[in-house]
Amino acid sequence: EVQLVESGGGLVKPGGSLRLSCATSGFTFSSFGMIWVRQAPGKGLEWVSSISSSGSYIYYADSVKGRFTISRDSAKNSLSLQMNSLRADDSATYYCARIVDGLDSWGQGTLVTVSS
Amino acid sequence: SSELTQPPSVSVSPGQTARITCSGDALANQYGYWYQQKPGQAPVLVIYRYSERPSGIPERFSGSSSGTTVTLTISGVQAEDEADYFCQSADSPGTYRDVVFGGGTKLTVL
C-alpha cells in the first residue's frame, strides 16, 4: 500500500524557517516525481514545488521561488521542503503527493502557521 | 502562469447528474485532472487525462474535454459525493513544470 506521511509543521514567526518532511513507503520512491501542494484554511489548492524522479529537474511556484527548497533522499525514501523567510500568507496545510499522470497518492498534510 | 476557472458551487438532488466545468487556455494543450476533497481529508484523484478513471473510482464519475474546457460529470449523484472538486492542469504527465489548480467547486447534494 502506498503511504505518504508528512511531518515538521508547526507555529513559526514571520521571517522564520521550517523544514517539512514526507516519509514514503509501498512504492519505488526513486521512480516517481513528487510534488508539494498547499491549502490555506478554507481556500483552494496551490502548487508549491515539483521534483523529478531523479531530482535533476526542480520547479517552484513564483510565490515561493528563492525562499523554499525541495529535495529528495532516495536512500530514505523521503521528500523534504525547506522553507525560509516565511510569511503570513505561507500559512497552510502542506501536502506531499506522488506524480503519476495526475497526483494519485497524497499524504494527510501538515499544518504550517506563520504568526507572531 | 495560466488560470483555471470553476464555478464556486453546484447543487443537485440525489440521483441527478452533476456537471462541473473548468475553463482555461492551458487546457487547450495540457491534460486536465479532477480531484475530490471531503472536509478534513486529502484530495483524491478521480479523473486523469481528461477522461480516465483511476481504479476504485466509481463509474458514475466521468470526464470530458472540449477546446479550453474540461467537464467532470457525476451521474446518479449520491449523498457521499458531496465534496469540493478541483481541476488541475499540467504541462506534461510526468514533468509538472507548471501546475495550476482551479479554485474549486463545492458540490452540494440537496
Side-chain angles (χ1 to χ4, degrees):
Chain A
E1 179 192 5
V2 174
Q3 288 195 327
L4 297 89
V5 180
E6 302 93 339
S7 61
L11 175 64
V12 62
K13 289 181 168 56
S17 298
L18 215 52
R19 186 177 182 85
L20 306 184
S21 296
C22 172
T24 73
S25 62
F27 65 101
T28 304
F29 179 71
S30 60
S31 296
F32 294 90
M34 299 293 294
I35 190 171
W36 287 99
V37 174
R38 68 185 181 184
Q39 185 172 36
K43 302 298 184 181
L45 302 173
E46 180 187 13
W47 169 61
V48 175
S49 181
S50 309
I51 186 168
S52 63
S53 57
S54 66
S56 297
Y57 300 96
I58 288 174
Y59 309 103
Y60 297 100
D62 289 342
S63 58
V64 306
K65 201 172 295 183
R67 300 187 299 123
F68 290 12
T69 302
I70 191 173
S71 61
R72 62 189 298 155
D73 185 338
S74 290
K76 296 182 179 179
N77 294 330
S78 173
L79 177 72
S80 296
L81 186 69
Q82 177 67 41
M83 305 187 296
N84 299 329
S85 303
L86 283 162
R87 312 185 301 222
D89 61 359
D90 293 319
S91 296
T93 294
Y94 284 72
Y95 296 99
C96 64
R98 184 177 76 166
I99 299 173
V100 182
D101 199 2
L103 308 179
D104 76 327
S105 300
W106 296 63
Q108 281 305 302
T110 187
L111 179 63
V112 172
T113 302
V114 184
S115 175
S116 55
Chain B
S1 60
S2 54
E3 296 182 352
L4 298 178
T5 301
Q6 299 180 233
S9 62
V10 169
S11 300
V12 295
S13 299
Q16 290 190 328
T17 297
R19 293 182 179 84
I20 300 172
T21 59
C22 172
S23 299
D25 290 342
L27 294 170
N29 53 17
Q30 295 182 4
Y31 288 114
Y33 305 84
W34 287 98
Y35 301 88
Q36 176 195 68
Q37 186 181 34
K38 295 182 179 180
Q41 298 183 18
V44 173
L45 180 67
V46 295
I47 294 290
Y48 66 99
R49 290 203 184 196
Y50 300 129
S51 60
E52 300 297 317
R53 196 172 52 248
S55 61
I57 300 302
E59 291 185 5
R60 63 180 182 274
F61 288 86
S62 63
S64 61
S65 173
S66 179
T68 58
T69 298
V70 294
T71 301
L72 173 68
T73 300
I74 310 172
S75 304
V77 167
Q78 300 182 6
E80 66 196 53
D81 298 331
E82 185 163 288
D84 293 324
Y85 291 85
F86 296 91
C87 61
Q88 177 235 315
S89 69
D91 49 340
S92 67
T95 304
Y96 278 60
R97 178 177 52 214
D98 185 14
V99 182
V100 181
F101 289 95
T105 299
K106 181 174 180 57
L107 176 66
T108 300
V109 181
L110 301 170

